[in-house]
Amino acid sequence: MTYIRKILKEENVKKIINVIFFLITIAGIGVSIYMNYVDRSIWGDEASLADSFTNRNLITLCLSELENLQTAPVVWLYFEKILTLIFGNSTIVIRWGSTLFFAGAVLLMYLIGRNVFKSQYPFAYSAFVANIPYLLKYSNEFKPYIAEAFFVLLAFYLFYLYKEDKIKLPVLCISWSFLIWCGNPCCFVEGGLILSEIIYSFFEKDYKKIRNIIIAGISIVASFIVYYFFWLKATATSFGMQYYWENSSFPLIPTSLSDLLTIKNLVHLVFRQFKNIELSVLVLTFLSFVYFIWKKNRLIIGLYLGFAVALFASYINMFPVTARLWCFFYPLVALIILYFIESFISGIDYSYRHIVLVFCMAYLICSMNGIVTYSNKDNVYRADEEIKFEIDYLKENIKEDEKIYLYNTSVGVWEYINGYGNTSFGGYDDNVVFGTVYFNNDYDALARKYNYQEELKDMLEYEKMYIVIVHYYDNRIQYLIPALYESGYVSLVSYEYETPLLYYCKNIEDTKTDYSLEIIDQYTDCALTYTTIRISNTGGSYINNRFENIYLKDEENGLTFVLDKVLAPGEYTDVTVSYSSDIKPVFNLYNSYKAIGNSYLEIR
């Protein structure tokens, strides 16, 4: 009993709770590493960035804007490039950076919780971030968003060190100026902290602090101007980028109901990444703002002013409000609301304080389930993006007389894996055809209307071909696929993680679709006959897939019965049909255009 009382002493309870939060932190980092070694396929957005990245060396990497409307911080690009030069250009290696910066951001959360906010539970700060699903998702991606979150936290921590006189003003100026080249959002947080320092120092009449922080401000403005004209301007002001983000500008000064609705939608877009605690986090963020203004906490107000600077940049169409570009926002909000809870609860009766505090922290940390979600590899893979399964299928099945047609959005992903400009695959020469997007007018590609007839001309040159499709646009496929059905036969031959590999042929004898129809049961009731027909998929394609609607049709009398199940190879389904007893139906499977095979079932 004495031993139990000893364990349950307050200091021991704190240690136990911190250990639990520490284990959650380690689990989050471990899951991020695990996600990388699942080795999911590179997807469209990563491939767009990898195009320039792979085909440039260290000297030419940042001499001109990146292709495909891509941009990334210069320092991050060089960091990633050096990694690939040392360890190779595999998908695992190019994502190492995000995993490393995720671990770094988690560590910084702990340091800030312990050193800046003097938290009793500093590992709660790191555990919170380690379990946010959205951050875990992007810790497994060749994109700079997680790195930017790390550098923003570092900028904040450096300012704390400066305020505590642990680093001098020149170090802060040089560090902050450098961090702008590491992550675009650093300028927002640095600007917010400078504004906060100026405002509070002005009311305190501390003109030395104002002078010093203005010096820091001048240095980062100078750095940003150089960075902007050297690197950001060409892409940020291009028509394509402006068109792409035209609905993501924050109406900082709303003048209509439409503006208010836009604000509501954009706020929801960002906060919904907190999943089922979205409302809790939103309310706590607002209460934190009010509380820390009342407490005159210039560090936290500096973060809020940093958000305001980012929203102003969005208002002038320079920084869209979208969740992935705002990855830096999530750890900062985690810092703010956890510190708010600790500060606010400090006024509660001592005997209940830690119970309430731990309950609130545990609720926030454990409600998002990022670690549980991504510890399952099926959740690491992405629907419509897993080209490596298509490639594995093609390696085993491609024949000499078959071509591979790369749907346009698949080209970059395919080339990253199979080699840029390489038109040969599977041991056969020149069997890869690069798809081209055709449009109906001469405006910028993003504004044009897709002209599927032109693409169809290219595709129909071949008797038999596989069509590799990832990261596709529904508004294009919905025209192209039916047109192919009209000209021949289309089979869905692979569908791993909802990533479609199609096979097109002009003659029914070459189709990958095959099936059998057999009577399982039959009886007559009054003037109607009821027949249960078993449809067995005996071929190598999916029947009744997302690109076709299949029904059982009586060719003699026109009766139709819709299939309500997708049949993978080897699967079957039973369909009960009814018809007048005086007719003799002949059943077969049809799509919207024709019979998909020759497996007729005659009922005589």
Side-chain angles (χ1 to χ4, degrees):
M1 203 64 184
T2 304
Y3 179 71
I4 294 175
R5 287 196 189 99
K6 184 178 180 181
I7 292 176
L8 293 178
K9 284 183 178 179
E10 183 183 351
E11 288 305 314
N12 289 330
V13 171
K14 285 182 185 178
K15 290 177 182 178
I16 292 170
I17 293 170
N18 262 318
V19 167
I20 293 172
F21 287 144
F22 169 75
L23 292 175
I24 294 173
T25 299
I26 295 301
I29 295 172
V31 166
S32 178
I33 295 170
Y34 165 76
M35 290 171 69
N36 203 5
Y37 283 91
V38 167
D39 196 23
R40 64 174 178 82
S41 302
I42 190 171
W43 76 288
D45 207 27
E46 290 177 293
S48 294
L49 179 57
D51 184 355
S52 303
F53 179 84
T54 302
N55 291 307
R56 299 186 187 190
N57 57 37
L58 278 175
I59 296 174
T60 60
L61 183 59
C62 294
L63 287 184
S64 61
E65 64 187 277
L66 304 178
E67 285 80 20
N68 307 313
L69 289 179
Q70 295 294 309
T71 188
V74 169
V75 173
W76 179 84
L77 283 169
Y78 276 101
F79 174 81
E80 289 282 351
K81 190 67 179 179
I82 291 169
L83 275 182
T84 60
L85 291 175
I86 297 171
F87 299 104
N89 197 39
S90 69
T91 50
I92 290 177
V93 172
I94 64 173
R95 292 176 182 143
W96 273 359
S98 291
T99 303
L100 290 170
F101 284 117
F102 177 76
V106 168
L107 175 62
L108 272 175
M109 288 292 292
Y110 165 75
L111 291 176
I112 293 171
R114 186 189 69 180
N115 299 335
V116 180
F117 299 141
K118 307 298 187 283
S119 173
Q120 300 175 77
Y121 302 102
F123 279 113
Y125 289 73
S126 56
F128 194 169
V129 166
N131 198 32
I132 296 176
Y134 201 68
L135 295 183
L136 276 170
K137 173 184 175 181
Y138 278 99
S139 75
N140 181 231
E141 184 148 323
F142 177 55
K143 283 289 184 175
Y145 310 132
I146 297 297
E148 290 176 332
F150 167 81
F151 289 121
V152 163
L153 287 172
L154 183 58
F156 177 73
Y157 192 57
L158 287 170
F159 186 68
Y160 158 76
L161 295 177
Y162 165 72
K163 292 290 293 177
E164 294 294 307
D165 205 27
K166 294 180 180 180
I167 62 172
K168 299 302 180 182
L169 181 63
V171 175
L172 180 70
C173 293
I174 294 170
S175 301
W176 269 12
S177 298
F178 175 73
L179 286 177
I180 287 175
W181 293 66
C182 298
N184 299 337
C186 288
C187 63
F188 305 140
V189 171
E190 291 170 6
L193 291 169
I194 287 172
L195 287 174
S196 175
E197 185 72 2
I198 289 174
I199 291 169
Y200 281 98
S201 297
F202 176 79
F203 284 109
E204 295 168 357
K205 294 183 171 53
D206 192 335
Y207 300 113
K208 181 180 179 181
K209 285 184 178 178
I210 294 176
R211 183 201 65 194
N212 289 345
I213 204 65
I214 287 177
I215 292 172
I218 292 171
S219 68
I220 67 167
V221 168
S223 177
F224 178 79
I225 290 173
V226 174
Y227 180 54
Y228 178 77
F229 285 102
F230 169 74
W231 187 242
L232 293 179
K233 183 176 184 294
T235 301
T237 60
S238 68
F239 173 81
M241 188 64 78
Q242 293 290 319
Y243 180 90
Y244 189 69
W245 294 120
E246 68 175 348
N247 296 317
S248 300
S249 295
F250 191 86
L252 198 60
I253 307 173
T255 58
S256 65
L257 178 60
S258 176
D259 285 346
L260 293 175
L261 289 174
T262 298
I263 291 173
K264 172 182 173 294
N265 291 336
L266 293 178
V267 168
H268 171 60
L269 176 69
V270 173
F271 276 91
R272 73 183 180 189
Q273 307 308 330
F274 287 104
K275 300 298 181 181
N276 53 330
I277 59 169
E278 174 188 352
L279 183 59
S280 299
V281 172
L282 186 59
V283 170
L284 285 170
T285 303
F286 174 75
L287 292 177
S288 302
F289 176 69
V290 175
Y291 178 80
F292 286 121
I293 284 184
W294 175 51
K295 289 291 185 178
K296 299 179 181 178
N297 187 308
R298 63 179 68 189
L299 272 178
I300 301 298
I301 297 307
L303 293 181
Y304 276 103
L305 287 173
F307 300 154
V309 174
L311 291 177
F312 177 76
S314 176
Y315 175 65
I316 60 175
N317 296 319
M318 297 303 293
F319 192 74
V321 177
T322 185
R324 63 182 184 271
L325 293 182
W326 282 66
C327 276
F328 74 95
F329 174 80
Y330 301 110
L332 294 181
V333 166
L335 284 176
I336 291 169
I337 63 177
L338 289 181
Y339 181 44
F340 163 68
I341 291 170
E342 285 201 88
S343 301
F344 187 76
I345 287 176
S346 63
I348 295 178
D349 182 83
Y350 186 82
S351 57
Y352 298 104
R353 186 185 307 163
H354 294 289
I355 297 174
V356 176
L357 175 62
V358 171
F359 174 80
C360 292
M361 286 181 165
Y363 164 71
L364 292 172
I365 293 166
C366 299
S367 296
M368 289 176 294
N369 297 322
I371 294 170
V372 173
T373 298
Y374 289 112
S375 61
N376 180 349
K377 74 173 184 178
D378 287 337
N379 295 324
V380 177
Y381 292 119
R382 294 192 183 179
D384 291 331
E385 304 291 351
E386 295 303 328
I387 195 172
K388 73 175 185 178
F389 293 101
E390 297 183 326
I391 291 175
D392 289 344
Y393 179 95
L394 290 169
K395 286 178 180 177
E396 293 181 6
N397 294 279
I398 188 74
K399 294 182 175 58
E400 187 174 5
D401 62 341
E402 296 171 334
K403 298 289 185 180
I404 299 171
Y405 186 91
L406 302 178
Y407 181 68
N408 180 260
T409 54
S410 310
V411 171
V413 181
W414 176 279
E415 286 194 296
Y416 174 81
I417 297 171
N418 198 49
Y420 290 89
N422 183 12
T423 60
S424 300
F425 181 84
Y428 303 115
D429 294 332
D430 296 324
N431 60 340
V432 179
V433 180
F434 292 82
T436 303
V437 180
Y438 292 94
F439 298 97
N440 286 332
N441 53 45
D442 295 326
Y443 295 105
D444 186 276
L446 287 169
R448 297 175 185 175
K449 184 178 179 182
Y450 174 59
N451 186 354
Y452 75 92
Q453 292 94 341
E454 290 298 320
E455 185 163 19
L456 191 65
K457 289 179 184 177
D458 289 348
M459 301 178 82
L460 294 182
E461 290 183 14
Y462 310 104
E463 292 286 329
K464 292 182 283 187
M465 66 179 177
Y466 290 95
I467 306 173
V468 175
I469 301 176
V470 294
H471 196 60
Y472 68 88
Y473 300 99
D474 285 326
N475 63 333
R476 297 178 187 174
I477 288 290
Q478 70 180 354
Y479 295 112
L480 185 61
I481 300 300
L484 286 171
Y485 274 123
E486 290 182 345
S487 303
Y489 299 86
V490 180
S491 308
L492 177 64
V493 295
S494 178
Y495 197 51
E496 297 289 338
Y497 296 99
E498 301 180 30
T499 305
L501 175 64
L502 298 175
Y503 182 78
Y504 168 81
C505 58
K506 291 187 176 180
N507 300 312
I508 195 168
E509 293 80 12
D510 298 318
T511 184
K512 304 292 184 181
T513 302
D514 200 6
Y515 53 90
S516 65
L517 306 175
E518 60 178 316
I519 298 174
I520 300 301
D521 188 28
Q522 188 176 60
Y523 65 92
T524 300
D525 184 7
C526 298
L528 289 178
T529 296
Y530 295 86
T531 301
T532 299
I533 299 173
R534 175 160 294 173
I535 305 169
S536 301
N537 187 346
T538 58
S541 69
Y542 291 78
I543 294 175
N544 199 37
N545 57 71
R546 67 191 288 182
F547 300 110
E548 64 178 0
N549 294 314
I550 298 296
Y551 53 90
L552 196 62
K553 179 180 178 181
D554 171 14
E555 294 192 341
E556 297 288 324
N557 306 286
L559 301 173
T560 59
F561 303 90
V562 176
L563 270 66
D564 58 0
K565 178 182 177 182
V566 176
L567 295 180
E571 293 184 344
Y572 68 85
T573 188
D574 296 335
V575 177
T576 299
V577 300
S578 61
Y579 48 89
S580 176
S581 299
D582 60 353
I583 67 173
K584 304 298 181 183
V586 178
F587 287 106
N588 198 4
L589 293 184
Y590 276 74
N591 59 23
S592 301
Y593 308 102
K594 64 185 77 172
I596 64 171
N598 292 321
S599 297
Y600 299 97
L601 176 64
E602 298 185 26
I603 302 178
R604 298 303 184 193

